[in-house]
Amino acid sequence: MTGLEGDGSSAAEPFADPHGDPFLRTRFAVPARPVTYLRRERLTRRLDQGLRTPLTMVNGAAGAGKTLLVADWAERLDGPPVAWFTTEAAGTGPGMFWAYLLRALHAVGVPPPAGVGFPADANRVNPTLGARLAAGLSVRERPVVLVLDEFDRVTSPEIAEQLEFVLRHAGPGLRLVLVTRTEPLLPLHRYRAAGELTEIRGAELAFTPTEAAELLELHGLRLPPAAVRALVERTRGWAAGLRLCALAAGESPDPEVYLKEFEADRSTIADFLLAEVLKRQNAGTQDLLLRVSVLDRFCPGLANAVTGRDDAEAVLARLNRDNAFVEHLGHGLYRLHPLFAEILRAHLRTRLPGLEPELHRRAAGWLRRSGHLPEALGHGAAADDWEFTANALVDDLAIGQFFTGPRSDAVAGLFSRMGREGTGAAPELVRAAGRLARCEIDGGLTHLHRARHELAEHDGTADEAAARLSCALLEALAARLAGAPERAEDAARAAGRLREAVPAELLDRHPELTALLLDHLGSARLWAGRFEEARTALSTVADFAPGAATALPREDSLGRLALIDYLDGWLGRAECRAREALAETERFGLPRPSGSGVERLVLAAVAVDRDELGQAQALLDTAAEAHPAMRDPVREAGRALTTARLRLARGDPGAALKAVEPEVPADAVSPWARGQTALVAADAHLAEGRTETAAGLLREVPAEQPACAVGAARVRLATGGTAEAVRLLDRARPERRAGPAVTVRAVLVRAQAADEEGDTAAARALVGRALAEARRERLRRPFTEAGPWIRRYLGSASPAGRRTPGTGPSPHPYGPPPPVIEELSGREHDVLRRLALTMSTEEIAADLYVSVNTVKTHLKSVYRKLSVNRRNEAVRRARELDLL
């Protein structure tokens, strides 16, 4: 053999390894790049920076693009020589490793120093080799860059120790680049602490969407950004996955559809991952990977439960260190790469057919015991074990998640797959919830009846308390949707008794159940006309701490409180509550439609009273959509009445009659809805000259509610019953209980009665009083609908210097600004309050510790939301709306 180790002679170029076989030149060759290779400058810059440190490590999974990255950089490197050595399979002895490494240096013109020689024994080296090599490298004027590719194949601690010795003592003469799938055996912590290590890991190697788009273009594919982002999400930016997908898509007639729908287990990606990752593991690890493939995220405890073993923690940690497509998410959680998981699941079905449902069942049981309800439900459904899944939902008191919260769509979608499988109270309750969530009242009541029958067979122990309380919630919802207030009261009383038997921590964990129950009760009371009782229940819900779980009932309760204020004539209060309701679900990003839309109906009704008819129509249009479980008689009656009033205001009494013609289906009659409907219909008949028909409708109007009594008085007056109209007002005394929208109309009825009796002084005084009350609420409609008689009083009755609503020029050239329907953010309120203090933009910025540009952005948003253009207008508008 040429150049025996330690012979002391100048090293001659060897031609054979310690076994006497020729050196394999391919192991010294820098790998060629494909024509579609994408150079990523952000990574090559990192490698350039690595020349400042002794050690650079490029660590990533198989196919992450490590080797091609370093090869492209090495070929383009201008300056130091680059020696490339692709290491051999595990088991290579130190002598063979160092013989190849020295040959790699020789190949780029860096012969070993005199006296180093070449190892003659494949399994050992002379102890002086490392010292002599390090000493020779340390005196080089230019460093040599040594790239060790596939270094994960080097598993000998002896080799790692020798390599680290050379690196440490070679000083600036050596720059070592390790390309590896696993953590090398070198003491990386020392280099890292000393700032002498440059690392490029899997997260940096992953392609960004922009880079992926460029790579696809190199393959002749131009895709929309959304399609590229979806592909990157599915592949996690994995280089080999992207390249293999691009190659396959290029052969497809529709590349975009292929990349969206391809089955990973039927692609070349599967061949790559099975060969490069799965088959490299021992049989036990392969079995673990196959079984945990049914999980999304998992901890070692869950992995043990699914696999039936007790060593998952160590195995998962090793797989993560080895970049075996097992990602550590922190906090002891792991997940498989999406494509790897997809391929493993297909492999599981082939190798262990029929096992997948059992694995889901095990996972569901462990997750339920550990308090992870959403994941337990998903695995229970995947196992087609609907009895377990329904019981898990009901026993956790989470039935309210069908209707509210960020997971409501997911829960409803999951249980939509449940057929007739599963018997018992819980499955029937879930079926009832599903029907009621779609406003299918009869179907919901059928399943509720079956659930009650199942529950009646138990003795009422605490084990059934959650199911019974869930049943009470659904009964309250069914009663609300059916317009049955007494049934809702019965359900609420039953729920009150059952709460004592349910663990307090369950109720605390699911505040949405109590919020929904009280919202249903309050709405049912509102339908019954029991406004104060309704206000009590709804206010309790509105006072719940804000949260995504209770956002929908809070929105709905605020909207219905706004409706009560509107019906009582308090337009300003109604508008503020309605705006608050609008902001509730938007704050938590819940999907639309999420609530009932009652708040938009209230804002539309307020806009009609202010004669802002375009705004009213826009609000009505946006209120068309509603969560099916919120489409109760209150909402339907409110929509019909607001639509009819808008049609009347636009001079179309026929359309108004048509809007209120269909009777809102309900088990019980609502006094206010019936009365308001009769009054709108009477106004429409009066507009078309049918006075007798209008008078006949007054039999439907309850006299005990101020708004209805005032409306009835207006109709009596219009049909010639002046004295009767005044008597109605005297009995109702609306000024004691009602707000300006009611009292202004009452005062105008008295003014018209005085005018008809010839008492013009009294009429003028009453009109002036009505104007003063109307101005606070920006009321116009009562004056425009009053009729011709009022015209001669408006100019003289208006206080000096003030304009009459509905007459003369408006302070706003295009009418008053529309009501605010988008809530100001907290920071916008801060800016607005400082505007009112006449602070400059710069002063506001300094006071809030933000930039001037940020303040300007907030100001633009405030102007838009308040429908103004200048600072003083914003302050004045904010004061009108009680925002300051």
Side-chain angles (χ1 to χ4, degrees):
M1 178 182 296
T2 303
L4 296 177
E5 179 182 5
D7 62 4
S9 63
S10 176
E13 181 178 2
F15 296 101
D17 66 21
H19 288 314
D21 298 323
F23 284 110
L24 300 175
R25 295 185 179 277
T26 53
R27 295 177 64 186
F28 309 126
V30 178
R33 276 78 62 214
V35 294
T36 55
Y37 175 77
L38 175 69
R39 179 173 298 127
R40 296 186 280 168
E41 295 298 337
R42 64 182 177 89
L43 296 179
T44 57
R45 284 195 298 271
R46 290 279 288 137
L47 289 171
D48 288 338
Q49 293 166 5
L51 292 175
R52 303 170 190 165
T53 60
L55 179 60
T56 296
M57 181 179 66
V58 182
N59 188 338
K66 308 179 295 296
T67 297
L68 291 179
L69 167 67
V70 177
D72 180 66
W73 170 77
E75 285 282 280
R76 297 172 60 241
L77 190 60
D78 184 16
V82 179
W84 188 283
F85 170 27
T86 301
T87 60
E88 189 52 89
T92 299
M96 185 67 75
F97 173 84
W98 284 102
Y100 263 90
L101 188 148
L102 293 171
R103 179 66 185 84
L105 291 172
H106 216 301
V108 294
V110 185
V116 171
F118 284 83
D121 188 333
N123 295 314
R124 70 178 185 84
V125 294
N126 189 307
T128 64
L129 183 146
R132 291 177 178 179
L133 178 59
L137 292 173
S138 67
V139 297
R140 286 183 57 83
E141 293 182 4
R142 287 195 311 167
V144 60
V145 177
L146 175 60
V147 178
L148 299 183
D149 191 19
E150 299 188 25
F151 192 71
D152 47 279
R153 295 171 178 263
V154 177
T155 58
S156 166
E158 184 181 358
I159 295 175
E161 185 179 347
Q162 294 164 352
L163 181 64
E164 198 275 328
F165 177 88
V166 172
L167 176 63
R168 181 158 32 98
H169 292 287
L174 176 64
R175 292 293 180 256
L176 180 62
V177 180
L178 301 181
V179 181
T180 177
R181 295 185 187 182
T182 63
E183 291 288 289
L185 297 176
L186 276 64
L188 297 180
H189 60 282
R190 294 181 191 167
Y191 290 91
R192 193 177 288 120
E196 295 179 339
L197 172 63
T198 300
E199 298 179 79
I200 299 177
R201 292 185 174 268
E204 289 179 273
L205 291 169
F207 276 66
T208 66
T210 300
E211 292 168 345
E214 293 176 10
L215 178 66
L216 292 170
E217 285 188 18
L218 289 173
H219 286 79
L221 301 174
R222 288 182 175 271
L223 299 180
V228 175
R229 286 194 299 271
L231 180 61
V232 171
E233 176 64 25
R234 189 174 178 189
T235 61
R236 294 281 196 272
W238 177 43
L242 288 170
R243 292 182 194 281
L244 293 171
C245 285
L247 290 169
E251 298 176 2
S252 169
D254 191 333
E256 184 176 348
V257 172
Y258 172 84
L259 291 173
K260 182 180 179 181
E261 301 177 355
F262 76 91
E263 298 178 26
D265 60 296
R266 298 176 182 272
S267 68
T268 52
I269 295 174
D271 300 332
F272 182 96
L273 287 174
L274 291 175
E276 293 290 327
V277 182
L278 185 64
K279 291 179 181 178
R280 287 191 173 203
Q281 310 301 326
N282 60 46
T285 303
Q286 288 187 33
D287 184 71
L288 179 142
L289 286 169
L290 289 172
R291 291 169 185 259
V292 299
S293 68
V294 303
L295 307 173
D296 181 17
R297 301 181 177 202
F298 50 91
C299 62
L302 176 55
N304 282 333
V306 169
T307 61
R309 37 197 299 167
D310 58 7
D311 62 345
E313 185 170 7
V315 176
L316 292 171
R318 175 179 61 78
L319 289 169
N320 173 250
R321 285 196 307 272
D322 292 351
N323 284 312
F325 288 79
V326 176
E327 304 172 30
H328 185 231
L329 305 175
H331 307 288
L333 287 177
Y334 294 86
R335 72 178 174 194
L336 300 178
H337 187 286
L339 292 177
F340 192 36
E342 190 176 336
I343 291 163
L344 287 173
R345 284 193 293 272
H347 212 52
L348 171 69
R349 294 170 194 136
T350 302
R351 283 177 53 172
L352 299 167
L355 181 61
E356 190 172 356
E358 175 57 25
L359 297 176
H360 281 297
R361 198 171 288 112
R362 292 179 193 175
W366 188 91
L367 288 163
R368 182 182 178 186
R369 292 190 299 273
S370 302
H372 301 287
L373 179 65
E375 294 84 358
L377 296 178
H379 285 288
D384 270 337
D385 191 341
W386 294 106
E387 190 167 334
F388 167 90
T389 310
N391 274 291
L393 183 80
V394 172
D395 290 348
D396 200 73
L397 212 60
I399 198 78
Q401 291 184 2
F402 258 96
F403 312 101
T404 183
R407 297 193 65 256
S408 59
D409 287 347
V411 170
L414 184 145
F415 282 103
S416 68
R417 309 199 309 264
M418 182 173 73
R420 297 181 179 275
E421 301 90 345
T423 59
E428 291 298 340
L429 288 171
V430 166
R431 293 184 184 105
R435 291 297 189 90
L436 293 173
R438 298 191 295 272
C439 202
E440 298 173 9
I441 303 174
D442 292 340
L445 289 172
T446 298
H447 289 296
L448 273 177
H449 175 75
R450 293 174 185 167
R452 286 194 296 269
H453 176 75
E454 293 283 349
L455 289 169
E457 296 184 358
H458 297 272
D459 59 5
T461 61
D463 291 342
E464 295 298 322
R468 295 178 186 276
L469 184 53
S470 299
C471 188
L473 169 68
L474 297 178
E475 287 174 341
L477 171 57
R480 167 198 183 150
L481 293 174
E486 294 311 314
R487 278 173 32 209
E489 296 284 356
D490 291 343
R493 283 191 288 269
R497 294 190 296 270
L498 288 165
R499 285 173 60 90
E500 302 299 322
V502 173
E505 63 93 14
L506 267 186
L507 292 169
D508 291 341
R509 191 158 73 232
H510 294 290
E512 72 275 3
L513 185 134
T514 302
L516 286 167
L517 183 66
L518 289 172
D519 186 46
H520 299 334
L521 177 63
S523 187
R525 288 174 173 174
L526 173 54
W527 179 248
R530 302 199 295 269
F531 288 177
E532 288 310 309
E533 295 175 54
R535 195 190 302 275
T536 299
L538 295 170
S539 296
T540 303
V541 182
D543 291 339
F544 267 57
T550 57
L552 183 140
R554 271 176 51 81
E555 174 196 12
D556 190 59
S557 62
L558 286 166
R560 287 163 200 269
L561 286 168
L563 178 59
I564 294 173
D565 286 335
Y566 173 78
L567 292 173
D568 282 342
W570 300 101
L571 267 60
R573 293 181 196 171
E575 184 184 14
C576 286
R577 283 196 187 274
R579 288 200 312 273
E580 189 180 352
L582 270 180
E584 184 61 25
T585 50
E586 293 174 359
R587 179 189 311 179
F588 297 100
L590 298 187
R592 305 296 307 183
S594 59
S596 63
V598 167
E599 64 276 5
R600 294 178 185 271
L601 294 177
V602 170
L603 289 172
V606 169
V608 171
D609 271 350
R610 290 172 175 168
D611 230 18
E612 298 162 353
L613 305 187
Q615 180 77 355
Q617 185 62 64
L619 287 161
L620 264 179
D621 293 341
T622 60
E625 291 185 343
H627 192 295
M630 298 292 174
R631 293 174 187 163
D632 62 359
V634 170
R635 178 192 180 276
E636 298 308 307
R639 180 167 181 78
L641 288 168
T642 304
T643 301
R645 289 196 175 105
L646 178 58
R647 299 292 177 265
L648 272 176
R650 285 182 161 168
D652 192 348
L657 282 171
K658 188 175 180 180
V660 294
E661 194 174 64
E663 186 175 351
V664 175
D667 290 0
V669 174
S670 170
W672 66 266
R674 180 180 62 182
Q676 295 283 356
T677 300
L679 290 172
V680 169
D683 283 342
H685 286 299
L686 285 174
E688 295 188 335
R690 295 186 289 272
T691 56
E692 291 185 7
T693 305
L697 288 170
L698 294 183
R699 292 189 297 271
E700 305 290 323
V701 181
E704 63 274 10
Q705 291 188 345
C708 289
V710 171
R714 287 180 58 249
V715 175
R716 285 291 183 202
L717 187 62
T719 56
T722 304
E724 178 61 20
V726 174
R727 282 195 294 272
L728 276 173
L729 294 179
D730 290 340
R731 286 196 297 269
R733 304 296 295 272
E735 61 277 1
R736 290 185 174 181
R737 294 181 288 166
V742 174
T743 58
V744 165
R745 286 180 168 89
V747 171
L748 290 178
V749 168
R750 293 186 185 275
Q752 186 177 355
D755 177 73
E756 290 181 2
E757 293 174 355
D759 190 348
T760 57
R764 183 173 292 104
L766 288 167
V767 169
R769 176 180 156 192
L771 287 169
E773 289 188 32
R775 188 167 289 111
R776 287 180 304 171
E777 301 277 7
R778 306 203 326 272
L779 276 168
R780 290 184 174 189
R781 192 70 208 151
F783 299 93
T784 57
E785 67 188 11
W789 68 271
I790 200 172
R791 291 175 186 163
R792 61 181 173 140
Y793 295 107
L794 288 177
S796 58
S798 177
R802 302 298 296 270
R803 293 288 179 186
T804 301
T807 66
S810 167
H812 297 272
Y814 302 104
V820 176
I821 62 171
E822 186 178 354
E823 185 186 49
L824 298 182
S825 69
R827 185 58 86 185
E828 288 164 357
H829 274 291
D830 293 340
V831 171
L832 184 60
R833 282 191 290 269
R834 285 159 178 78
L835 271 189
L837 298 174
T838 67
M839 293 173 69
S840 69
T841 304
E842 291 75 13
E843 289 170 335
I844 295 173
D847 199 43
L848 294 177
Y849 297 98
V850 298
S851 69
V852 172
N853 284 337
T854 299
V855 173
K856 290 179 178 178
T857 299
H858 288 313
L859 285 174
K860 288 179 183 177
S861 182
V862 169
Y863 294 166
R864 175 179 60 80
K865 291 180 179 180
L866 297 180
S867 301
V868 298
N869 296 311
R870 291 188 294 274
R871 287 172 166 241
N872 58 345
E873 290 177 357
V875 173
R876 182 169 61 249
R877 175 79 168 125
R879 285 179 174 143
E880 289 174 357
L881 298 172
D882 297 325
L883 298 178
L884 291 172

